[in-house]
């Protein structure tokens, strides 16, 4: 929300008070004097006028989890354990998943309460590659590579997938880099060749790779330098 609106929504300030307080340099956001009425105030921002704290600012939280197969990428599920069940953190209702994985997919899962950050990570327009290790039931042919680069038509969404990079690792193993996260995308891509994905593991999302120290089911907070990469 804009800073001037945030302030004038508070009962103690008229619009005129807000203008004057901003001009006089009495308003600080995250400790910095801010005179711009359009400055963005988020739930994470600390807002002060003189020595009064008007909003404390929630801490922004970012976690990396090694998702094991057999748990759901949802906040609640009546039947199965969810990825959030694996987190021993307060206020879990504030958290959301940046880029879901299927029930049996394992690997890197990022969880946060910062919607702007997770959108940057998952929007196809930002073109951040998501890298998957894939094992299939049938042999992966050389000719797959060109088709993945060309794109697959997904009738349900009426779109063609953006160019993807497939690297063959063995007769039934490959590494795949995609910049989107369509529903069951990897499985549907291999499905084009009637080749069933039997194991799927996400290794990285953009510049963030799964920490090899994390066993399946374990998680850790992201470091400041990792958060800033997105
Ligand atoms: N593509 C899939 O098909 N499944 C996932 O879990 C992730 C990408």
């Amino acid at each position: 929300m804009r800073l001037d609106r945030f302030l004038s929504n508070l009962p103690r300030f008229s619009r005129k008070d807000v203008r004057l307080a901003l001009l006089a340099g009495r308003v600080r956001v995250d400790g910095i004097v801010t005179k711009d009425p359009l400055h963005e105030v988020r739930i994470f921002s600390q807002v002060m006028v003189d020595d009064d704290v008007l909003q404390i600012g929630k801490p922004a939280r970012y976690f990396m989890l090694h998702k094991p197969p057999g748990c759901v990428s949802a906040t609640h599920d009546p039947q199965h354990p969810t990825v959030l069940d694996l987190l021993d953190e307060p206020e879990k209702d504030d958290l959301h998943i940046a880029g879901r994985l299927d029930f049996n997919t394992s690997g890197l899962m990022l969880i946060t309460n910062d919607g702007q950050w997770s959108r940057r990570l998952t929007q196809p327009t930002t073109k951040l590659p998501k890298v998957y290790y894939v094992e299939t039931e049938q042999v992966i042919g050389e000719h797959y590579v060109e088709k993945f680069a060309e794109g697959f038509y997904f009738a349900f969404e009426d779109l063609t997938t953006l160019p993807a990079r497939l690297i063959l690792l063995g007769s039934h193993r490959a590494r795949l880099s995609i910049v989107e996260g369509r529903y069951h995308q990897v499985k549907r891509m291999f499905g084009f060749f009637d080749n069933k994905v039997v194991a799927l593991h996400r290794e990285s999302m953009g510049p963030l790779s799964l920490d090899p120290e994390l066993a399946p089911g374990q998680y850790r907070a992201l470091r400041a330098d990792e958060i800033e990469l997105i």
Side-chain angles (χ1 to χ4, degrees):
M1 185 193 295
R2 296 162 43 155
L3 179 57
D4 58 350
R5 297 231 172 99
F6 171 87
L7 292 170
S8 53
N9 280 346
L10 302 171
R12 58 188 272 196
F13 294 115
S14 68
R15 286 218 203 136
K16 188 173 168 204
D17 294 335
V18 169
R19 245 191 345 265
L20 292 176
L22 284 166
L23 276 174
R26 293 168 51 209
V27 181
R28 273 175 292 157
V29 179
D30 295 329
I32 297 168
V33 171
T34 309
K35 295 188 175 181
D36 178 7
L38 302 182
H39 189 98
E40 174 79 358
V41 175
R42 305 183 63 205
I43 52 162
F44 310 118
S45 315
Q46 187 209 55
V47 183
M48 290 180 74
V49 173
D50 303 324
D51 289 331
D52 292 340
V53 178
L54 304 180
Q55 175 171 278
I56 301 173
K58 274 191 180 223
R61 297 183 292 160
Y62 309 85
F63 303 101
M64 166 188 292
L65 166 78
H66 185 162
K67 179 192 177 296
C71 76
V72 186
S73 287
T75 44
H76 301 281
D77 189 272
Q79 268 189 323
H80 301 287
T82 73
V83 288
L84 283 190
D85 292 335
L86 297 166
L87 265 58
D88 183 17
E89 297 293 330
E91 299 186 42
K92 288 205 267 188
D93 283 347
D94 286 353
L95 298 172
H96 63 269
I97 297 156
R100 293 168 188 278
L101 291 174
D102 294 339
F103 185 68
N104 276 324
T105 303
S106 60
L108 175 64
M109 174 144 274
L110 296 165
I111 299 169
T112 181
N113 61 348
D114 183 346
Q116 284 184 10
W117 187 86
S118 60
R119 269 193 295 282
R120 282 200 294 281
L121 194 73
T122 51
Q123 263 169 4
T125 45
T126 53
K127 297 219 166 54
L128 282 183
K130 286 90 187 167
V131 179
Y132 292 87
Y133 169 79
V134 191
E135 285 180 11
T136 57
E137 201 168 73
Q138 315 294 328
V139 171
I140 305 172
E142 292 277 354
H143 61 290
Y144 282 32
V145 174
E146 204 182 319
K147 183 64 192 161
F148 274 81
E150 209 176 273
F152 298 84
Y153 178 66
F154 283 1
F156 183 73
E157 297 91 335
D158 188 23
L159 56 81
T160 300
T161 56
L162 292 168
R165 196 165 128 81
L166 183 75
I167 299 169
L168 306 189
L169 302 174
S171 58
H172 295 72
R173 300 182 301 123
R175 182 160 284 117
L176 174 66
S177 175
I178 58 177
V179 294
E180 300 148 290
R182 307 279 168 207
Y183 181 65
H184 293 327
Q185 179 158 346
V186 177
K187 290 173 187 161
R188 288 161 81 194
M189 287 167 134
F190 280 91
F192 174 85
F193 300 99
D194 282 329
N195 197 351
K196 189 173 170 202
V197 170
V198 293
L200 187 57
H201 177 84
R202 185 158 64 197
E203 298 178 332
S204 61
M205 297 179 79
L208 295 173
S209 295
L210 181 62
D211 186 334
E213 298 286 309
L214 293 176
Q218 289 185 332
Y219 75 100
R220 67 163 171 82
L222 289 187
R223 299 186 308 266
D225 60 308
E226 291 174 321
I227 297 162
E228 277 164 24
L229 288 171
I230 304 299

